[in-house]
Amino acid sequence: MATPIQQNLTSKNEKYASSFSQGHLALPPAKKYAVVTCMDARIDPAAAYGISLGDAHIIRNAGGNAKDALRSLVISQQLLGTNEVLLIKHTGCGMLTFKNEDAHAVVEKNLGVEGTKELAGLDFQPFPDLERAVEDDVKLLKTSKAIHENVPITGWIYEVETGKVKQVV
């Protein structure tokens, strides 16, 4: 039996597909850029960042983390032709609220020793300072040998309270 979430998916998709007319879009993004941003449910990257369907790759993960996004960025650039990166973190991010040891303790409490063993040594990559995290992630990408040195990489903060972005780097 389908859960309410699954039922919502199928019914909303049916409505969406009934008027869908974008199946002709090319695989590579038309505007040749990638966005790394957080998976936070309060962020609608297409609306907030002015991205139309087919324009850009949107890579989402916890904290809009560059290290986690590197594999996707390499594929985006080397195989699909993107040539710019916007890294966008946000105010009120959950990654500001804990330390690695806190996350490991919660995993152990909720999943027991087996869950803890599987994640032993995992860096959840939390950060205590939002602007510094943007700067550090942009530096990581700019110094990475896996990213072409001529690729523009900028760092931004999206304010969930106002919907505005501001450039940090």
Side-chain angles (χ1 to χ4, degrees), residues 42 51 54 58 65 81 92 94 112 123 129 157-158:
R42 297 171 292 174
I51 304 169
I58 301 173
N65 184 279
D123 182 358
D129 181 316
I157 293 176
Y158 171 77

Side-chain angles (χ1 to χ4, degrees), residues 24-41:
H24 65 281
L25 294 174
L27 176 61
K31 293 192 177 173
K32 301 193 179 305
Y33 71 102
V35 175
V36 176
T37 197
C38 189
M39 66 185 194
D40 191 298

Side-chain angles (χ1 to χ4, degrees), residues 29-142:
K31 293 192 177 173
K32 301 193 179 305
Y33 71 102
V35 175
V36 176
T37 197
C38 189
M39 66 185 194
D40 191 298
R42 297 171 292 174
I43 302 169
D44 179 352
Y49 311 151
I51 304 169
S52 295
L53 189 65
D55 280 355
H57 286 147
I58 301 173
I59 302 163
R60 298 185 76 166
N61 61 47
N65 184 279
K67 186 176 179 183
D68 281 356
L70 189 58
R71 177 185 72 91
S72 295
L73 285 171
V74 169
I75 292 167
S76 177
Q77 291 179 354
Q78 299 302 312
L79 301 177
L80 296 166
T82 59
N83 55 24
E84 185 167 353
V85 177
L86 306 177
L87 182 122
I88 308 172
K89 294 185 183 287
H90 68 94
T91 57
C93 185
M95 301 304 283
L96 290 159
T97 67
F98 68 92
K99 295 179 181 173
N100 263 320
E101 51 270 16
D102 302 326
H104 282 282
V106 168
V107 169
E108 184 172 0
K109 178 182 176 228
N110 293 336
L111 301 177
V113 176
E114 292 305 312
T116 303
K117 283 182 187 175
E118 189 169 326
L119 300 177
L122 177 68
D123 182 358
F124 286 94
Q125 302 176 67
F127 46 84
D129 181 316
L130 183 57
E131 286 197 19
R132 177 67 188 256
V134 171
E135 293 166 355
D136 289 347
D137 274 8
V138 168
K139 181 179 180 183
L140 182 144
L141 293 176
K142 284 186 173 187

